[in-house]
Amino acid sequence: MSIAAATAREVTRSTIATGRSKDRTPTSILFLGALWFSLFFGVMVLIVLIVDTAIHGAPRFDANLVTRYDSVIRPAETGFRAGILGTVWLMVTTAVLAVPLGIAAALHLEEFADGRRWWNRFIEVNLQNLAAVPSIVYGLLAVAVMALLGYERKGIVLGGAIALALLILPVIIITTREAVRAVPREIREASLALGATRWQTTWRQTLPSAVPGIATGTILGLSRAIGEAAPLLLLGIAGAVRFDPDGLGSAVTALPIQIFSLSSNSQEEFQQAASAAIVVLLAMILLLNGLAIFIRNKFQRTW
Amino acid sequence: MSTGTTGSIGAGPPPVGAGRPAQPVNLRARSRPGETAIKGVLLLSALVSVAITVGILGALIQPVIGFFEEVPLGDFFTTEGKYAVLPLVGATFMVTAIALAVAVPLGLGAAMYLSEYASPRMRRSLKPAVELLAGVPSVVYGFFAISFVTPTLLQGLLNIDVGFTNALSAGLVLGVMIIPTIASLAEDALSAVPQALRHGSLALGANRMQTTLRVVLPAALSGVAAAIVLGMSRAVGETMIVALAAGAQRNLSLDPREGMQTMTGFIAQTAQGENPVGSTSYNTLFAVGLLLFVITLVINVVSISIVRRFRQVY
């Protein structure tokens, strides 16, 4: 408070002495301009990024782009069929692995955990840490898990999905907890008062009310996982796969990995293909984000 | 109130779950085995997060022991040689410093505008616009760095003599990527400063800029510091941008125009190569990975404890 008082006193004194208000001084107008600039800088970068990429990839917006497989010999006709399907396979497997686990963990922490117990506090702090672990470290962990499960082959759906599931688990837990916390206490109390047990209350009242929030958070988590390449790189997921994935043990590629391997090649056709793939990837992410916003607006209630 | 004799209704500190009833409601007549089993399953799911941490440490430490059996510690923590890690650490901090130089002023600026100047309606639509930046995959930012920032912006418009891969463009783009992290967390911290402080300052004659810079910002300093530290941890751990744009040569230099390899860049590059499992070069991956994990862990713990220790109570 002392800083506030000192500043204000100084300003008051100078305002009285000069008779001029300080709210429209050049410095404060400049300051506002700087704030505007920092707010819109990000948006400007995003616009430049999208426009530059779209112009760069424009020659490649044709049917080949989504129907063909990767081709090194004729880069002008290379396609991302394997990458798009692989990304979808990875997403679905990731969701199956991470969503039930994440929701169960969140329900425990939010509805059942006793915060006075040290292990619950430990889980809490641990989650905060996990959310900030670099994604590439999850790749290293998934490599170890795959070795533990006895999979020798590299670059398969299951391995990639385990890495991504580990990566987004903290995100799902955190958003689910927020959604569950937003359900008013009265609903739980009414259910408990009618004789329902804690689990019955959670399963039949709290969880259904929180579904829109959970769905939104989960989809946003998955859309983050779609763009991840670093952990997949460690699992040996290669850029060039020329068939559709057909199971958990099938070799797979993903769009971000394909973009990564194309970008490292400085030949013009490869750069064009990479730009076009980026537009496809951004479209997929935008679609997922749009879905999340739609669910939020359509189903979320205010209590 | 059929079982009024349970007697377990005691006042205690607020539980973890804010949504559950304030006092432990224990009105059940008998315990249900199914219920207990479900609770056990839920607890197990929560414990998976702990298992992940233990797993990370286990997965990293075992190959690292193998690595240090063959490579002496002195060869690892040194500046020259095949296994030297210090050039990687130096490059990581160089790129992180450039990223923070971009993201801290811009992120704080955006946060100050959102919390001090924007109306609630504007804030609702502007905040998601800033956060859009966080939704762009890092590999896309990496491609942007090598296809636009280096050739068009740095070499073309600004006429800086940089190589095809350089720490400068990687750092700049990385900075753009972490703007939303810093802006969003700093905005939360600034908004949490009580209105009375602003009113007091404005009533005494200070203008909005002075109120923002000298009253609100100092009051929210701990939260702002935590936001910056978290942004730093993001920058240290980010992989794809540096793998593409920073380069692949070990270079312990202070010149950001040169290409240099960061820790994550090294891991990404080594993972792509064919290294037989268990070989020394394969185990280097885990040694660098463990170092990276420890560094980010320390940064995160610092960030959490900053918030806890300096949280102002109004």
Side-chain angles (χ1 to χ4, degrees), chain A residues 11-12 22-23 113 115 126 199, chain B residues 16 20 35 38 53 204-205 207 271:
Chain A
V11 173
T12 317
K22 284 252 172 183
D23 224 8
N126 190 47
W199 170 247
Chain B
V16 177
R20 53 177 271 202
E35 188 103 347
I38 288 171
T53 312
L204 287 169
N207 65 21

Side-chain angles (χ1 to χ4, degrees), chain B residues 13 31 53 97-98 103 112 165 170 202 205 218 220 223 230 255 284 291 301:
Chain B
S31 83
T53 312
I98 299 171
M112 282 192 245
T165 55
L202 292 168
L230 197 68
D255 186 354
T284 325
L291 187 62
V301 169

Side-chain angles (χ1 to χ4, degrees), chain A residues 3 8 11-12 22-23 31 36 38 41 104 108 110 113 115 126 128 132 144 177 185 188 197-199 234 278 285, chain B residues 16-20 32 35 38 43 45 49-50 53 59 106 109 113 137 143 204-205 207 209-210 214 271 300 304:
Chain A
I3 316 165
V11 173
T12 317
K22 284 252 172 183
D23 224 8
F31 177 67
W36 268 100
S38 26
F41 180 80
H108 170 76
E110 206 53 38
N126 190 47
Q128 281 183 341
R177 288 186 66 178
R185 188 176 293 169
R188 295 182 184 79
T197 63
R198 285 268 286 286
W199 170 247
L234 285 181
I278 284 174
I285 288 171
Chain B
V16 177
R20 53 177 271 202
R32 296 165 175 244
E35 188 103 347
I38 288 171
L43 176 64
S45 311
S49 74
V50 179
T53 312
L106 291 174
Y113 187 85
F143 182 76
L204 287 169
N207 65 21
M209 180 183 87
Q210 287 159 324
R214 299 197 213 166
N300 295 337
I304 293 173

